[in-house]
């Protein structure tokens, strides 16, 4: 019974989601491969699908020539007119239909394997074309199995991998659980289609907010920046294009319903939402919430900020194991040095004392230098006179101050070296004295070790005399 290939091709196309043309090409290639195995590779064979008959037709192609040089690919005019086409002329190509029933079982099996491989390749390409444009999109799947701590997720028509490093720490899933993740990468190689998922990416957090907050989806509210330590804490800076829409309130939702949905998806990861501002100092203060900031000192050259907080807010600003200040650094992009008010006052007192110790500098100049970032006489001594620009101090006065600082530092160094030398001499003297004491102690111990033998000899003499008297 002849199989209607039209129905088979239609069914495969629907099941695999592959275009019918691709399936037809795969079947034609299958039959071509089987024909070459059956009739030999030297014969010029072509396979064509006939949709009217619902079968693959095989044709051998021969060229009409005057004199045959290759019997497998050529035929002379007389043979061509007698067997195939009465009107054949030199140069014509003749299609000779072959009987597919003569193909053997081995050739058919090889053709079947070839067809399966072609359909698999076509299916992979189809999946790749479908998912390559879905990068940075959140998808939902079912946990299929685990391979070396990597999670294999069933996305329906294909599988994806959630590597261990892209999984949230301490998060546990079992086979059959439903999971949501971000498509991180899609790649098609010789090994097959590879779809990599992530639950630790910052983009995953932002996409979750986009799904939960209509204002973000519509573009009214923007997430300008985000930072997270997966499974622990996250910070999100949001901005509203509409002055009537509160960006923080939109993300939090009524009674916190929107942000709680994101927190539940991230298995309890705490999320701080702060309003974005172009004032970088203010943004740093907001990013360190819930801690309160007393003062911020900006160093544009080093792209760093010194943040002063009340003494009772220091641990809150730093966070557990430095988590809060790390996230604030990632969110703002500034290097942050968080200090308490007491520590800052102590440092300021020490810095002012170091500057005031320079001869002839004066309290006013010392305060000006401190306000411009100089924290010690040594730092001032290393300054370049040509690049020295402090408001309120002239160039001539600046040169005098720098020279005085250098002389002061040099004198301090001489005094320090003299003290070090004196301390070294004192240490040597103490060491020599200790060595002498050890020698004396050793000598005393040696004399003490000899004394008992003499005593024993003296005491043994009367005993000998008493023995002689008894005799």
């Amino acid at each position: 019974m002849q199989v209607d290939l039209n129905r088979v091709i239609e069914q495969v196309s629907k099941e695999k989601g592959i275009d019918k043309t691709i399936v037809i090409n795969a079947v034609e290639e299958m039959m071509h491969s089987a024909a070459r195995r059956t009739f030999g590779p030297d014969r010029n064979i072509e396979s064509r699908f006939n949709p009217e008959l619902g079968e693959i037709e095989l044709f051998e192609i021969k060229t009409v020539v005057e004199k045959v040089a290759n019997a497998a690919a050529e035929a002379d005019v007389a043979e061509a007119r007698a067997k195939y086409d009465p009107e054949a002329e030199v140069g014509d190509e003749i299609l000779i239909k072959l009987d597919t029933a003569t193909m053997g079982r081995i050739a058919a099996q090889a053709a079947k394997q070839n067809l399966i491989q072609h359909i698999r390749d076509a299916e992979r390409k189809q999946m790749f074309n479908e998912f390559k444009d879905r990068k940075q999109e959140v998808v939902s799947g079912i946990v299929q199995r685990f391979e070396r701590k990597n999670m294999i997720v069933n996305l329906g028509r294909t599988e994806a991998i959630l590597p261990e490093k892209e999984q949230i720490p301490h998060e546990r899933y079992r086979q059959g659980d439903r999971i949501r993740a971000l498509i991180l990468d899609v790649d098609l190689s010789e090994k097959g289609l590879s779809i990599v998922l992530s639950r630790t990416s910052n983009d995953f957090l932002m996409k979750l907010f986009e799904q939960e907050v209509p204002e973000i989806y519509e573009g009214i509210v923007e997430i300008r920046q985000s930072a997270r330590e997966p499974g622990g804490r996250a910070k999100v800076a949001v901005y509203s294009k509409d002055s009537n829409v509160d960006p923080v309130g939109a993300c939090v939702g009524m009674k916190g319903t929107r942000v709680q949905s994101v927190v539940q998806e991230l298995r309890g990861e705490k999320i701080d939402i702060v309003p974005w501002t172009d004032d970088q100092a203010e943004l740093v203060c907001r990013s360190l919430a819930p801690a309160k900031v007393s003062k911020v000192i900006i160093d544009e050259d080093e792209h760093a900020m010194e943040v002063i907080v009340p003494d009772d807010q220091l641990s809150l600003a730093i966070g557990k194991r430095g988590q809060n200040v790390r996230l604030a650094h990632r969110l703002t992009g500034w290097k942050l040095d968080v200090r308490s008010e007491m520590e800052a006052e102590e440092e300021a007192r020490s810095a002012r004392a170091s500057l005031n110790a320079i001869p002839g500098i004066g309290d006013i100049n010392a305060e000006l230098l401190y306000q411009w970032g100089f924290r010690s006489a040594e730092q001032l001594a290393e300054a370049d006179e040509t690049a020295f620009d402090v408001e309120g101090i002239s160039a001539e006065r600046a040169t005098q101050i720098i020279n005085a600082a250098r002389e002061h530092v040099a004198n301090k160094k001489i005094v320090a070296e003299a003290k070090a030398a004196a301390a070294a001499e004192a240490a040597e003297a103490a060491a020599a004295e200790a060595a002498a004491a050890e020698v004396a102690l050793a000598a005393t111990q040696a004399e003490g070790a000899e004394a008992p033998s003499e005593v024993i000899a003296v005491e043994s003499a009367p005993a000998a005399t008493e023995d002689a008297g008894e005799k």
Side-chain angles (χ1 to χ4, degrees):
M1 181 179 178
Q2 184 70 30
V3 178
D4 185 5
L5 284 181
N6 280 316
R7 187 182 303 170
V8 175
I9 290 171
E10 186 74 27
Q11 183 179 355
V12 172
S13 176
K14 286 183 178 180
E15 287 180 356
K16 303 294 184 180
I18 305 172
D19 188 77
K20 285 178 62 177
T21 306
I22 298 174
V23 180
I24 291 172
N25 291 337
V27 175
E28 289 178 346
E29 180 65 26
M30 172 200 72
M31 291 299 294
H32 184 263
S33 174
R36 287 175 64 86
R37 280 177 171 270
T38 302
F39 301 107
D42 296 333
R43 300 174 70 173
N44 188 7
I45 298 175
E46 182 180 286
S47 62
R48 294 179 183 177
F49 175 68
N50 189 335
E52 295 179 358
L53 299 176
E55 64 179 29
I56 296 291
E57 295 180 324
L58 293 176
F59 296 95
E60 182 179 5
I61 302 174
K62 285 191 175 184
T63 305
V64 180
V65 295
E66 293 182 356
K67 186 176 181 181
V68 177
N70 182 4
E74 298 174 344
D76 58 23
V77 177
E79 181 186 1
R81 289 177 177 176
K83 292 184 178 181
Y84 311 118
D85 186 2
E87 299 179 358
E89 298 291 340
V90 175
D92 290 349
E93 286 189 344
I94 302 172
L95 299 180
I96 306 167
K97 189 171 182 179
L98 301 176
D99 185 7
T100 58
T102 59
M103 291 192 296
R105 181 180 59 83
I106 297 177
Q109 185 67 23
K112 179 181 177 183
Q113 294 297 330
N114 193 14
L115 173 62
I116 293 172
Q117 186 61 40
H118 271 74
I119 292 178
R120 283 178 179 172
D121 292 343
E123 190 176 8
R124 287 170 182 169
K125 290 180 181 178
Q126 182 79 11
M127 288 293 102
F128 174 73
N129 292 331
E130 179 181 337
F131 281 93
K132 69 178 182 180
D133 298 327
R134 296 180 63 185
K135 287 184 181 180
Q136 305 302 309
E137 181 179 321
V138 175
V139 293
S140 178
I142 297 175
V143 177
Q144 193 79 9
R145 63 185 183 277
F146 296 89
E147 294 180 358
R148 297 179 181 178
K149 296 184 179 181
N150 298 327
M151 190 184 301
I152 307 301
V153 180
N154 186 354
L155 298 181
R157 294 175 56 196
T158 187
E159 291 182 345
I161 182 171
L162 181 63
E164 182 185 8
K165 66 179 181 179
E166 299 297 338
Q167 300 174 22
I168 296 176
H170 311 299
E171 190 176 47
R172 295 293 178 266
Y173 280 93
R174 293 178 296 179
Q175 188 174 359
D177 289 349
R178 182 162 290 278
I179 186 172
R180 296 168 72 190
L182 182 84
I183 297 179
L184 191 64
D185 188 31
V186 180
D187 182 44
L188 182 62
S189 63
E190 294 179 357
K191 295 181 179 180
L193 178 65
S194 172
I195 301 176
V196 181
L197 305 179
S198 173
R199 284 179 58 83
T200 61
S201 170
N202 286 347
D203 294 328
F204 180 53
L205 173 66
M206 296 168 70
K207 288 292 182 180
L208 289 177
F209 269 108
E210 184 178 321
Q211 291 181 353
E212 295 294 336
V213 182
E215 290 84 353
I216 295 179
Y217 181 79
E218 295 170 1
I220 300 174
V221 175
E222 289 182 358
I223 297 179
R224 288 291 180 88
Q225 192 58 268
S226 66
R228 62 183 293 221
E229 290 189 354
R233 197 179 197 92
K235 288 183 181 289
V236 180
V238 293
Y239 173 78
S240 176
K241 297 178 181 178
D242 188 346
S243 58
N244 296 322
V245 177
D246 176 21
V248 177
C251 293
V252 173
M254 184 70 68
K255 297 182 180 179
T257 53
R258 293 176 177 177
V259 71
Q260 281 304 316
S261 298
V262 179
V263 169
Q264 288 174 7
E265 178 61 38
L266 299 178
R267 297 297 191 269
E269 184 174 316
K270 298 177 181 178
I271 301 176
D272 296 334
I273 304 174
V274 299
W276 173 270
T277 175
D278 292 329
D279 185 347
Q280 295 299 297
E282 178 62 24
L283 180 61
V284 167
C285 295
R286 294 176 181 179
S287 65
L288 285 171
K292 298 178 181 179
V293 177
S294 302
K295 185 179 180 182
V296 176
I297 301 172
I298 304 175
D299 185 351
E300 294 283 357
D301 296 335
E302 297 293 332
H303 199 67
M305 292 190 190
E306 183 180 342
V307 183
I308 312 301
V309 298
D311 296 344
D312 59 345
Q313 297 282 304
L314 180 61
S315 59
L316 193 62
I318 294 175
K320 185 179 180 181
R321 298 178 182 175
Q323 185 184 69
N324 196 51
V325 71
R326 275 199 310 272
L327 290 173
H329 158 66
R330 295 175 191 171
L331 189 72
T332 61
W334 286 78
K335 298 177 184 177
L336 303 179
D337 183 12
V338 181
R339 301 187 179 188
S340 65
E341 291 179 345
M342 182 181 296
E343 184 181 356
E345 289 174 3
E346 181 62 30
E347 183 180 337
R349 192 180 302 110
S350 175
R352 289 188 174 96
S354 177
L355 293 172
N356 280 318
I358 301 173
I361 189 172
D363 293 340
I364 296 176
N365 289 331
E367 185 61 29
L368 287 173
L369 292 170
Y370 176 78
Q371 295 298 331
W372 277 84
F374 291 98
R375 294 294 181 263
S376 65
E378 287 76 13
Q379 184 181 358
L380 181 60
E382 295 174 358
D384 183 6
E385 300 94 325
T386 58
F388 191 87
D389 184 18
V390 176
E391 187 177 350
I393 300 178
S394 63
E396 183 180 356
R397 180 57 177 155
T399 302
Q400 295 175 356
I401 292 174
I402 293 173
N403 290 333
R406 289 172 180 170
E407 184 178 351
H408 173 67
V409 170
N411 292 334
K412 281 181 64 178
K413 186 176 181 181
I414 293 172
V415 172
E417 289 176 353
K419 289 183 178 179
E425 290 178 1
E428 290 179 1
E433 185 177 348
E438 288 181 2
V439 171
L441 179 60
T444 304
Q445 290 176 348
E447 290 177 359
E450 293 176 358
S453 61
E454 295 177 357
V455 173
I456 293 169
V458 172
E459 289 179 351
S460 61
T465 305
E466 289 176 1
D467 292 342
E470 290 178 0
K471 290 179 180 179

